[in-house]
Amino acid sequence: MPISETALLRFLSSVHPYDSLEPALLKELAPKFRQIDATAGNPVYALNQELDGLYLVHTGEVEVTDENGIPVSILGPRNSFGERGLTRGGRAVTSARTTTETILLLLPKADFHTLMASQPKVAKFFDRRRPGSRDTTSLATTRVETIMARDPITCSSGLTCQGAAQLMRDRRISSICVTDGDRLQGILTTRDLTAKILAAGKPISTPVSTVMTPDPLTLAPSAIGSDVLHMMMEHGIGHIPVVEAGRLAGIVTQTDLTRFQAVSSGEMVSSIARAGSAEEMAKVTAEIPRLLVQLVAGGNRHEVVTRLITDIADTATRRLLALAEEQLGAPPVPYLWLACGSQGRREQTGVSDQDNCLILSGDLKPEDNAYFEQLAAFVCDGLNTCGYVYCPGDMMASNPRWRQPLSVWRDYFRDWIAKPSPEAQMLASVMFDLRPIGGETALFADLHQKTLKAASANSIFTAHMTANSLKHTPPLGLLRGLATIRSGEHRNTLDMKHNGVVPVADLGRIYALQGQLAEVNTRARLEAAEAAGVLSHSGARDLLDAYDLIAQTRLEHQAAQIRSGQTPDNYLGPSDLSDFERSHLRDAFVVVKTMQSAAGHGKGMLS
C-alpha cells in the first residue's frame, strides 16, 4: 500500500537531516522519493552495481554484506545507505538484501545530488570526508618543510672561525651548517664562537671543525612544527637542521616559530626537561587532561592531539633516564629504551599505561645486570608517579624478560616468527610497535629491518598474525547498526578502544608487515601501505576516513568527560551521540569490517 503524503512527510520530518529542512522544501522533496516494497530475501543492490540513488529504510530490515558475503551491518528504520557512502565511483563495494518484509524509500541519484548541492546541512551530514583543521597555521598542523629556511648557508669544515663569523655577519644569520657536499657534518652558532673561541681565548684561525657541534639533532621535512619547538625546549638549542635522505634540505631557528601557537604543550615539555624528580614531572603531566580538552576544542585532528600528548611521555621518559644515570652513574654498556603500545605508535590519549622495554649491548657482563635492573625500576616507577600506570600485563623494562641483550631480542623475534603460537602472536603484535625513546638507537635499526624482512617472508606467520588481528571487531549489530557491551560496568556502551581504534591499528600493523614498512604510527602505516601498493588508493582513502572519524569520536568523548569532571575512558554510550554521529560512526565501522574481511580472505586490500 502506498504511503500517504501526510505519513511520508511525518516520517521524513523525524529523520535527520531532513528534519532540518524548511517545511516547504520538505514538502517539495517528499514526492521525489520512490517507494519500494520488498519481501524477505529480496536483493536491493549487488556488489559493483551502479547505484540508483540513496535508500532510506521506512519499515523492515536490510542486511549489508561485504565482497566475501560476510554481514557487516543490519539496518533498520530511519537508516540510510547506498549513494551516501560505501561506494567507489558510484558503484557499491557491498551488497544489500532485505531480511524481512521491508519498505524502502529511494531518492534518485540526480535528486540526491541536487539536494546536496543546495542544502549545506544535508551535505554536511552525508559527506564522510575528513574535516579540515580549524587552525591551519598552528605549529601542530604545519609541516617543517613549510617553516624551514631553504638553501641554508653552509661552509666546509676547514674554514676558519673568523671566516665563518664574517659569513654569518654578512648574511645576518646566527648559525651556519658545516657540510661535505650536500651531507651535513655539523653546525656552528654564534654562541659557539662566543663560548669556545672568544671566552676561551683561542685564535680566530681555529678551524670550524674543532668548534662546531658534530652530528647535530635534525628533523625531517615531514615533521611538524611542534616537533621543532619540543626538541628546542628539551635540549636547549635554537637551531635545527632539516635533513632528507641524508641530505641537508633546510634549517629552522627560534625566529621561524610562532611560539604561542603551541605554547601549552611546549611549556609542558620544557618544564619536564628541567624537572629534578618524578614528583616535579607529575605536577606537569597532571595537566595533560586539560591540554587534551584545549587541543580538541581547538579543532586539532586526532593524530595531532595524540602526537603532542605522546611527546610529553617521551620527554618524561628521557628525563627519567637522565636522572637515573645521575643517581646510578654512567651505564656500563650502551642501552636503548623503547616504547611500544600507544606510546610506541604515538597515539596516546587521556588514558594511557606504560609499555616499554630495554635492549642492551652485546658487551653486557653478568655483573652489569644489577645496574639496568635499578635503571628500569627507577624509570618505570617514575612513569607510574607521572600517571603512566604500570602495565597490567607487565610489558615493562622492569620485567627481566623485556630487559635483554640484543642477541636475546633477535632470538625472541626469530622464535615468534618461526613458531607463531597464540602467545607469540600477541607478543609480536605488541613488539612490532616498538619505537626508540632514549639511548643508542643503532641497537634497534638492524633488528627492526631484519625482523620485518623475515616476518613478511614467512607466509604462515603473516597468516597467523592476520587471523590474530581480526579478533578485535567493530561493534556492528542490530541496534541502529551498533552493538553495545551487554553486561558489566560498561553495559550499553561502545568500547572505542578495543572495538574502535584497535581494529584499525591491527590492520595497519599487518599492512606494515606485508610491505616491510618501517612506520609505526597507524595513520602513517596506512599512508605508507597505499604508497607501497599494499593497499589500493580507494581502500586506503576509505580506511583513513573511517579511522579518522573513530579516533576523533573517541577523543571528543574523553574531552567531554574531562570537561564534566569525570575520569576519561574509552566507553561511549550511543545515546550520547546524535543521529548524525551514530550514522557516520556506523558507516566507519562498516568500512573497517569490510577491510578486515578482505584481509582475512588474503586480499589485503580493496581493489
Side-chain angles (χ1 to χ4, degrees):
M1 178 183 298
I3 303 171
S4 68
E5 181 181 354
T6 301
L8 180 58
L9 284 171
R10 187 185 309 117
F11 175 73
L12 290 175
S13 64
S14 71
V15 178
H16 195 68
Y18 309 108
D19 58 355
S20 67
L21 300 178
E22 294 293 331
L25 181 58
L26 186 60
K27 189 172 183 179
E28 180 183 338
L29 177 68
K32 297 178 181 178
F33 280 90
R34 179 160 60 88
Q35 181 176 334
I36 301 174
D37 298 311
T39 57
N42 275 20
V44 180
Y45 60 78
L47 182 70
N48 290 324
Q49 177 181 325
E50 186 172 352
L51 297 174
D52 297 324
L54 178 75
Y55 293 92
L56 174 62
V57 181
H58 183 270
T59 58
E61 192 174 83
V62 174
E63 180 185 58
V64 178
T65 56
D66 65 18
E67 59 182 330
N68 300 301
I70 296 176
V72 294
S73 188
I74 296 179
L75 309 177
R78 300 169 74 241
N79 280 176
S80 298
F81 64 102
E83 183 69 17
R84 67 175 296 239
L86 302 181
T87 66
R88 189 179 303 111
R91 294 184 178 275
V93 298
T94 57
S95 302
R97 68 176 185 89
T98 59
T99 59
T100 63
E101 188 171 331
T102 300
I103 298 177
L104 298 174
L105 300 174
L106 173 65
L107 183 61
K109 184 184 301 185
D111 294 318
F112 173 64
H113 289 164
T114 298
L115 182 65
M116 289 274 285
S118 63
Q119 298 298 318
K121 290 183 179 179
V122 175
K124 181 180 178 182
F125 179 80
F126 287 124
D127 188 354
R128 293 191 302 111
R129 292 174 300 176
R130 189 167 180 246
S133 172
R134 297 177 199 168
D135 184 2
T136 57
T137 62
S138 169
L139 287 178
T141 57
T142 303
R143 290 165 67 101
V144 166
E145 63 186 357
T146 66
I147 303 173
M148 69 184 187
R150 299 178 184 275
D151 300 319
I153 304 303
T154 64
C155 71
S156 67
S157 59
L159 184 68
T160 66
C161 287
Q162 182 182 29
Q166 290 171 340
L167 187 57
M168 285 191 275
R169 178 201 62 194
D170 295 341
R171 297 301 183 96
R172 296 184 179 181
I173 53 177
S174 57
S175 67
I176 189 168
C177 292
V178 183
T179 58
D180 181 7
D182 57 4
R183 300 283 171 169
L184 179 68
Q185 290 185 308
I187 188 170
L188 180 73
T189 67
T190 52
R191 186 167 63 179
D192 292 329
L193 294 175
T194 300
K196 300 176 183 179
I197 298 296
L198 292 179
K202 290 186 177 181
I204 57 177
S205 59
T206 301
V208 164
S209 59
T210 65
V211 182
M212 71 179 187
T213 299
D215 300 318
L217 293 170
T218 64
L219 286 171
S222 59
I224 57 177
S226 58
D227 291 339
V228 178
L229 182 63
H230 291 176
M231 185 176 284
M232 286 181 174
M233 287 191 164
E234 180 177 356
H235 298 282
I237 56 179
H239 309 78
I240 299 177
V242 181
V243 174
E244 183 173 28
R247 293 175 172 82
L248 181 65
I251 190 167
V252 182
T253 68
Q254 288 179 334
T255 56
D256 297 319
L257 301 179
T258 310
R259 287 190 52 168
F260 77 92
Q261 292 176 300
V263 65
S264 295
S265 58
E267 286 297 329
M268 292 174 74
V269 165
S270 179
S271 297
I272 290 173
R274 299 193 306 267
S277 66
E279 288 72 22
E280 285 185 36
M281 285 184 256
K283 295 177 182 178
V284 181
T285 56
E287 296 298 314
I288 289 177
R290 182 176 62 84
L291 174 66
L292 186 149
V293 170
Q294 290 178 345
L295 292 171
V296 172
N300 291 285
R301 294 169 174 168
H302 68 92
E303 73 270 26
V304 172
V305 177
T306 56
R307 174 65 175 270
L308 296 179
I309 289 175
T310 305
D311 280 351
I312 295 169
D314 290 356
T315 305
T317 303
R318 285 190 288 268
R319 183 56 182 156
L320 286 167
L321 287 169
L323 292 173
E325 290 189 21
E326 287 179 12
Q327 178 175 304
L328 301 173
V333 297
Y335 70 87
L336 177 62
W337 186 282
L338 304 99
C340 47
S342 60
Q343 184 183 359
R345 296 190 304 273
R346 284 180 162 147
E347 294 167 6
Q348 286 190 315
T349 67
V351 186
S352 296
D353 58 6
Q354 57 175 292
D355 298 281
N356 46 60
C357 64
L358 264 176
I359 297 179
L360 307 175
S361 167
D363 298 329
L364 183 79
K365 299 181 178 62
E367 58 268 26
D368 298 333
N369 282 312
Y371 177 93
F372 291 108
E373 180 180 359
Q374 294 178 68
L375 180 138
F378 183 97
V379 177
C380 289
D381 290 345
L383 289 172
N384 184 69
T385 298
C386 291
Y388 304 101
V389 297
Y390 298 122
C391 172
D394 206 17
M395 301 283 287
M396 298 180 294
S398 54
N399 181 342
R401 186 181 185 184
W402 310 125
R403 188 179 68 248
Q404 293 291 337
L406 180 58
S407 59
V408 175
W409 280 100
R410 289 196 182 103
D411 291 341
Y412 281 166
F413 281 103
R414 183 169 57 247
D415 290 345
W416 293 336
I417 293 169
K419 302 172 184 177
S421 65
E423 183 191 35
Q425 295 167 42
M426 182 274 292
L427 293 174
S429 294
V430 173
M431 294 303 175
F432 273 116
D433 292 349
L434 286 174
R435 181 172 60 87
I437 301 297
E440 184 55 63
T441 56
L443 289 171
F444 183 62
D446 187 54
L447 173 65
H448 190 210
Q449 184 179 15
K450 289 185 176 179
T451 299
L452 279 173
K453 185 176 180 179
S456 64
N458 190 317
S459 59
I460 295 176
F461 174 76
T462 55
H464 279 283
M465 285 290 288
T466 300
N468 186 64
S469 72
L470 305 181
K471 291 180 179 178
H472 295 105
T473 57
L476 292 167
L478 299 179
L479 180 60
R480 302 284 296 164
L482 298 174
T484 58
I485 298 172
R486 295 184 177 181
S487 60
E489 178 185 358
H490 303 295
R491 184 172 176 268
N492 296 330
T493 65
L494 304 172
D495 187 340
M496 295 298 292
K497 178 181 178 180
H498 293 103
N499 301 117
V501 295
V502 168
V504 186
D506 289 343
L507 283 171
R509 189 180 302 110
I510 294 302
Y511 300 144
L513 287 177
Q514 291 174 345
Q516 298 184 40
L517 307 173
E519 285 76 6
V520 178
N521 173 264
T522 296
R523 204 169 199 287
R525 279 173 166 169
L526 298 181
E527 292 176 338
E530 178 188 7
V534 176
L535 191 58
S536 71
H537 173 73
S538 57
R541 293 303 97 189
D542 284 346
L543 192 53
L544 282 166
D545 283 348
Y547 178 57
D548 289 337
L549 179 60
I550 294 167
Q552 197 72 36
T553 301
R554 177 195 185 200
L555 274 184
E556 289 172 355
H557 162 67
Q558 292 187 2
Q561 288 181 307
I562 295 167
R563 284 195 300 269
S564 62
Q566 302 175 53
T567 300
D569 61 29
N570 294 298
Y571 300 98
L572 171 66
S575 59
D576 295 335
L577 301 173
S578 66
D579 280 353
F580 169 85
E581 294 166 325
R582 277 196 301 271
S583 185
H584 281 266
L585 191 59
R586 183 204 70 216
D587 278 353
F589 288 140
V590 169
V591 169
V592 177
K593 180 69 175 177
T594 301
M595 297 297 287
Q596 283 186 324
S597 180
H601 284 76
K603 299 179 181 180
M605 59 181 172
L606 289 176
S607 58

